[in-house]
Amino acid sequence: MLKHIPVAAESTHCSTCMMGSVCLPVGMPASEVAKLDDLVKDRIRLQKGQALFQHGEKLDALFGLRTGSIKTQLDEANGAHQITGFFLPGEIVGLDGMIEGEHSSTAIAMEDSEACVVKLQDIDEISRYVPSLQHQVRRLMSREIARSHQVLLALGSMRSEQRLAAFLLNLSQRLTALGYSPSEFIMRMSREELGNYLGLTLETVSRLFSRFAREGIIIVNQRDIKITDMAALNELIGKPC
Amino acid sequence: MLKHIPVAAESTHCSTCMMGSVCLPVGMPASEVAKLDDLVKDRIRLQKGQALFQHGEKLDALFGLRTGSIKTQLDEANGAHQITGFFLPGEIVGLDGMIEGEHSSTAIAMEDSEACVVKLQDIDEISRYVPSLQHQVRRLMSREIARSHQVLLALGSMRSEQRLAAFLLNLSQRLTALGYSPSEFIMRMSREELGNYLGLTLETVSRLFSRFAREGIIIVNQRDIKITDMAALNELIGKPC
DNA sequence: CGAACTATTGAAATAGCTCAACCGCGGTGG
DNA sequence: CCACCGCGGTTGAGCTATTTCAATAGTTCG
């Protein structure tokens, strides 16, 4: 059972949340953000491995990740699955599969995590007096489409080393936006999960890490990554530094 | 320059459009659809090869494809590109890249086509008295996300023959929804475009067509396809008929 | 009719996969 | 405390699906 935590009156709301600058309100006029306080009525605390929602479940809310990290995946009939995204704090999970009111994917916590629950009906309610909220949801969904197109680009037209380079650069950027170091971080996902996401086997991913390390591009210690030559990564994906 | 055609008063509106059952209004209550008449104020006629919109252009509208077919692609700096979707009549183009009000992709007509223009500001306007319109847009965007996740699944975890099988089945289904034959159709895209979309080379695609034909699964005549063994295709993608 | 695409087919090269062995680390229980 | 297990990661060797390069043919179109 999911652990729900009602958001107490004196607790953090969107308008006072530290994540505001990168989360749902990002880019909204401050005057409007102030009116979002009723948007999040509770939060969910997840333990590592727990599902935030599962394929086929009724969908009536979006989730703003506050702490931790989450992966989303498409489950296949034969038991296999394809990971479609890794989410960091401030990012919105659950934008896919509002078709027929059912989730089309499954979201699983990769470490202990906490997410704000944003009910769809509250979005509708609040957009009546916060006109920009609907635009915001559209913008977030649009960004999610663009994001998955980027992954499509990687899977469709990059070689293995480029996929990993693109992934590391993307992760670095997103972590930077959260205030972390651009060049040193801990990956929450296993080699297998990363391989699944990138359309490679776990062995290939492992070999790539070793090779990048041998070439002096990164320093690898299990999931602890230090990027020592950002330019080389950019060059790999054809972006002249 | 794009050819705009104002929609005359007596012309077809969403409420009377033949495509209504598969296009933007799909699933909306009939009473609401009746109020959508001001949603489309003009249409665009495109010649084969012409762009409906290009990467970086200002985005202020969605497009409902009325006739023809359109491909969307991500353009890379080095001149390469990744095709992210093929669109048929009734499908909505332009849902990606409402970020920063700019298109993140380019949409190109694969044959002479015509699209209804749905201005974003008209959507906002009309949703004031057609409450379900916002839901509808959300639903359509969500479907677009789910769609691209399906492609991700194909690119990430299927072998070449499965990708082509999945593609043919998907195309067949969509054409059926439009009232065409499920088993006999003309593909609007070249082997190269299909290969690009599926993350394969054009030669591999060509060989796969030849092989499927040799195995009695399809009959191929250039872009003219006849599926003779639908069950075999389903089996290929692991869906026991 | 010839030019320029578009598709097919073959042969050789290779990127990434499969199978398999091994290592290291963290927990667990005798 | 230490032996043992299991899991995640690394590395090697051989294999194979797909690509690359190349030659040929069919189709479209001015």
Side-chain angles (χ1 to χ4, degrees), chain B residues 159-160 200-201 203-204 207:
Chain B
R159 279 172 305 105
S160 62
L200 303 169
T201 58
E203 292 96 328
T204 301
R207 275 186 252 273

Side-chain angles (χ1 to χ4, degrees), chain A residues 160 200-201 203-204 207:
Chain A
S160 63
L200 303 169
T201 58
E203 292 96 328
T204 300
R207 275 185 252 272

Side-chain angles (χ1 to χ4, degrees), chain B residues 126-199:
Chain B
I126 293 174
S127 358
R128 272 194 234 136
Y129 51 93
V130 186
S132 62
L133 182 56
Q134 289 287 10
H135 293 100
Q136 189 65 4
V137 173
R138 285 215 296 255
R139 198 149 70 219
L140 292 169
M141 296 190 79
S142 206
R143 182 199 286 180
E144 176 69 16
I145 296 173
R147 190 191 66 75
S148 71
H149 284 181
Q150 284 298 329
V151 184
L152 236 56
L153 174 67
L155 296 195
S157 63
M158 288 182 177
R159 279 172 305 105
S160 62
E161 54 182 30
Q162 297 179 299
R163 295 187 205 178
L164 183 59
F167 174 78
L168 290 174
L169 287 169
N170 175 266
L171 194 55
S172 159
Q173 278 163 21
R174 286 154 66 199
L175 287 166
T176 306
L178 287 175
Y180 295 106
S181 161
S183 58
E184 201 170 347
F185 47 83
I186 293 174
M187 298 195 316
R188 271 24 256 224
M189 66 290 293
S190 68
R191 300 290 188 261
E192 178 169 28
E193 289 171 319
L194 188 46
N196 181 300
Y197 178 66
L198 296 177

Side-chain angles (χ1 to χ4, degrees), chain A:
Chain A
M1 198 48 220
L2 291 181
K3 186 183 252 174
H4 280 256
I5 311 148
V7 172
E10 72 283 0
S11 176
T12 305
H13 293 291
C14 283
S15 59
T16 53
C17 179
M18 301 266 299
M19 303 289 350
S21 58
V22 291
C23 189
L24 194 145
V26 65
M28 284 177 73
S31 56
E32 307 266 282
V33 177
K35 301 181 203 158
L36 294 183
D37 282 357
D38 291 336
L39 196 53
V40 174
K41 298 220 182 62
D42 66 350
R43 304 212 178 92
I44 287 179
R45 201 162 283 166
L46 294 163
Q47 290 185 317
K48 179 174 174 165
Q50 227 182 343
L52 178 57
F53 55 78
Q54 297 207 313
H55 166 252
E57 267 178 31
K58 187 167 177 301
L59 166 87
D60 58 357
L62 301 177
F63 304 93
L65 190 51
R66 247 172 93 80
T67 62
S69 49
I70 281 182
K71 64 173 173 181
T72 54
Q73 60 186 39
L74 247 52
D75 298 315
E76 292 181 83
N78 60 9
H81 62 260
Q82 170 69 36
I83 296 178
T84 53
F86 296 118
F87 294 82
L88 298 180
E91 298 178 335
I92 310 294
V93 187
L95 291 167
D96 63 319
M98 296 196 201
I99 327 155
E100 321 305 340
E102 252 186 32
H103 284 288
S104 63
S105 61
T106 298
I108 297 172
M110 292 164 51
E111 58 187 314
D112 290 2
S113 304
E114 197 178 318
C116 295
V117 180
V118 184
K119 293 254 177 209
L120 292 184
Q121 66 186 73
D122 289 335
I123 291 179
D124 290 335
E125 171 72 25
I126 293 173
S127 3
R128 271 194 234 135
Y129 51 93
V130 186
S132 62
L133 182 56
Q134 290 288 9
H135 293 100
Q136 189 65 2
V137 173
R138 284 215 296 253
R139 198 149 69 220
L140 292 169
M141 295 190 78
S142 206
R143 183 199 285 180
E144 175 67 17
I145 295 175
R147 188 191 67 74
S148 71
H149 283 181
Q150 284 299 329
V151 183
L152 235 56
L153 173 67
L155 295 194
S157 63
M158 288 183 177
R159 277 169 308 104
S160 63
E161 55 183 30
Q162 297 179 299
R163 294 186 205 180
L164 184 59
F167 174 79
L168 290 174
L169 287 169
N170 175 266
L171 193 55
S172 160
Q173 279 164 19
R174 286 155 66 200
L175 287 166
T176 307
L178 287 176
Y180 295 106
S181 161
S183 58
E184 202 171 344
F185 47 82
I186 294 175
M187 298 195 315
R188 271 27 254 227
M189 66 291 292
S190 67
R191 300 289 188 260
E192 179 170 25
E193 288 171 319
L194 188 46
N196 182 299
Y197 178 66
L198 295 176
L200 303 169
T201 58
L202 67 98
E203 292 96 328
T204 300
V205 173
S206 177
R207 275 185 252 272
L208 285 169
F209 274 121
S210 303
R211 202 177 100 205
F212 283 0
R214 212 178 314 126
E215 290 169 352
I217 301 176
I218 57 176
I219 295 169
V220 187
N221 226 308
Q222 303 287 104
R223 299 189 185 183
D224 195 341
I225 305 290
K226 198 175 299 186
I227 301 178
T228 49
D229 190 349
M230 197 73 80
L233 286 181
N234 275 304
E235 210 162 322
L236 265 175
I237 61 168
K239 212 183 258 171
C241 22

